[in-house]
Amino acid sequence: MKVQILGMGHSLPDRILNNQELEQMVDTSHEWIVERTGILERRIADKDMATSDLCWQAAKIALERSGTEANELDLIIVGTSSPDMLFPSTACIVQDRLGAGKAAAFDVEAGCTGFVYALGIAEKFLLSPEYKKILVIGADLCSRFTDYTDRNTCVLFGDGAGAAVIGKGNSGPGILSTYLGADGSGARHLYMPAGGSALPPSKETLEQRLHFIRMDGNEIFRFATKIVVKVSEKLLTGAGLSYQDVDLFVPHQANLRIIKTAMKRMRIPKEKTLINLDYFGNMSAACIPVGLSMAEEAGKLKNGDLVLMVAFGAGLSYGGILLRWGRD
Ligand code: ACO
């Protein structure tokens, strides 16, 4: 039995925030942003939109493409760090809106690794005979927690959602290996100080702008360049494969320089690497599923292609999934 992706979908807000607009907001320049990050523009959700709205739109497409009715779903997992609210889970809100009454539902909080974690967890559920079809979503409205007075972070992030319906196949395509990890000692390098139980919202937390992303970019950069290679090696070695076998490398889209460093170390060429941060920025947990969904739409994925996904993010969390694309 193999766990296969049966269909994918994605949803992006219409509003584009380009580098020229950011030049008016903080002390930055289009040239600096492109040279240091590779990002040209990003999508930003309207004020009246929540993460569940994008999840719902992406999920509807994934359900249709996979030929699945909402009431067939056994489980919904949403990987997000920008849920609609602290509770209930965004997955429960999506479950109700889809009419997926049979499905259990929960969120996974693993920062930008959210989709990879959610997919890895879902795969394990499918090993049980009780679970047949699972909806896995990676979604984030990063703009809600981005400080648009902080040039160190505001140029990086965007909003989006990507969804996959997964199920059981035979011996053909499907997930070959999964690897999830974390290094909690790096939690302080990427976090939102207030709003949780440690520091609930107050007049002071608002005045001190503690409800926004705080990041030590250089620490994350160093961590990312090492971990992407480590995860890739672990996945490929475990499956008895090598970098030359990879047809599509789908890295988390944090910074073009991180992706290029990984490509160089792993000798994976540009044509085999998915890059979409130029037009969408870092959409956190949505980067990988949006990228896969777009690649499929563009006809860049064919049955049997070896796809290597690797993500890292707040936690510090990391993980990857190696799969043969397609279904049987
Ligand atoms: N425009 C102009 N100058 C800037 C900007 C900007 N937008 N941002 C920072 N600078 C300045 C800094 O203030 C600094 O100035 P100084 O030397 O006078 O102090 C200078 O540029 C160099 O700063 P660095 O931080 O060294 O710049 P670097 O080239 O390392 O790029 C960046 C910073 C883009 C943040 C990079 O470190 C990075 O991408 N890190 C990874 C971030 C990441 O992946 N985050 C998401 C993780 S995933 C998740 O879960 C959300």
Side-chain angles (χ1 to χ4, degrees):
M1 194 277 285
K2 283 268 178 60
V3 170
Q4 302 178 340
I5 292 180
L6 307 179
M8 297 212 60
H10 67 273
S11 176
L12 296 160
D14 294 330
R15 156 108 169 89
I16 293 170
L17 175 64
N18 62 29
N19 292 346
Q20 287 71 24
E21 278 176 272
L22 283 165
E23 285 176 348
Q24 310 303 313
M25 296 157 75
V26 289
D27 180 14
T28 191
S29 67
H30 172 68
E31 292 70 26
W32 191 97
I33 301 171
V34 174
E35 192 197 316
R36 305 308 295 164
T37 73
I39 300 167
L40 303 170
E41 57 187 49
R42 62 294 284 147
R43 300 297 179 95
I44 304 294
D46 289 339
K47 283 203 162 53
D48 60 356
M49 197 169 240
T51 299
S52 64
D53 294 315
L54 288 185
C55 288
W56 175 72
Q57 287 165 1
K60 294 273 285 180
I61 300 166
L63 284 169
E64 198 187 317
R65 289 188 180 156
S66 66
T68 305
E69 296 295 331
N71 61 16
E72 285 178 65
L73 293 172
D74 301 302
L75 177 62
I76 299 173
I77 311 180
V78 177
T80 186
S81 13
S82 45
D84 285 20
M85 47 196 109
L86 270 180
F87 60 88
S89 69
T90 301
C92 281
I93 296 167
V94 174
Q95 186 247 34
D96 178 52
R97 209 157 154 202
L98 287 173
K102 188 165 76 103
F106 63 88
D107 289 356
V108 168
E109 216 288 45
C112 299
T113 322
F115 178 77
V116 167
Y117 259 61
L119 187 53
I121 294 166
E123 184 207 4
K124 306 291 177 273
F125 271 91
L126 284 177
L127 298 177
S128 148
E130 291 145 50
Y131 292 83
K132 294 190 174 60
K133 285 195 178 178
I134 301 181
L135 173 65
V136 181
I137 304 175
D140 270 305
L141 259 60
C142 299
S143 63
R144 297 294 191 263
F145 306 107
T146 298
D147 184 349
Y148 287 98
T149 67
D150 174 15
R151 69 175 183 176
N152 292 295
T153 51
C154 75
V155 302
L156 301 174
F157 298 102
D159 302 335
V165 174
I166 66 167
K168 299 176 198 199
N170 297 319
S171 54
I175 294 179
L176 300 176
S177 51
T178 300
Y179 177 46
L180 305 179
D183 176 6
S185 70
R188 65 187 185 284
H189 299 316
L190 183 57
Y191 70 118
M192 195 174 84
S197 60
L199 204 52
S202 67
K203 189 166 163 285
E204 288 72 31
T205 62
L206 282 172
E207 280 168 2
Q208 291 166 34
R209 306 184 76 76
L210 299 180
H211 296 271
F212 293 120
I213 298 166
R214 293 277 174 98
M215 183 183 78
D216 182 337
N218 292 322
E219 283 290 344
I220 304 288
F221 197 97
R222 268 192 289 278
F223 170 76
T225 47
K226 281 192 207 123
I227 208 69
V228 172
V229 179
K230 182 182 158 189
V231 170
S232 302
E233 260 171 27
K234 183 121 184 150
L235 289 169
L236 286 162
T237 311
L241 294 162
S242 71
Y243 293 130
Q244 287 77 36
D245 298 312
V246 174
D247 294 299
L248 191 66
F249 171 44
V250 189
H252 174 52
Q253 308 283 310
N255 187 315
L256 188 57
R257 289 185 293 135
I258 295 175
I259 298 175
K260 281 188 169 167
T261 305
M263 282 161 56
K264 201 169 157 197
R265 287 192 189 155
M266 302 181 340
R267 294 203 190 90
I268 294 183
K270 198 172 167 220
E271 315 78 73
K272 292 188 171 184
T273 305
L274 191 148
I275 295 169
N276 65 5
L277 57 65
D278 37 2
Y279 289 100
F280 306 113
N282 179 351
M283 298 178 285
S284 188
C287 288
I288 287 182
V290 168
L292 280 176
S293 173
M294 288 182 128
E296 189 182 34
E297 273 182 4
K300 288 184 187 155
L301 280 164
K302 50 183 192 315
N303 248 15
D305 275 358
L306 188 68
V307 177
L308 171 65
M309 315 173 205
V310 185
F312 56 87
L316 298 172
S317 61
Y318 54 88
I321 291 185
L322 184 70
L323 65 81
R324 289 239 174 251
W325 191 256
R327 53 188 291 188
D328 56 17

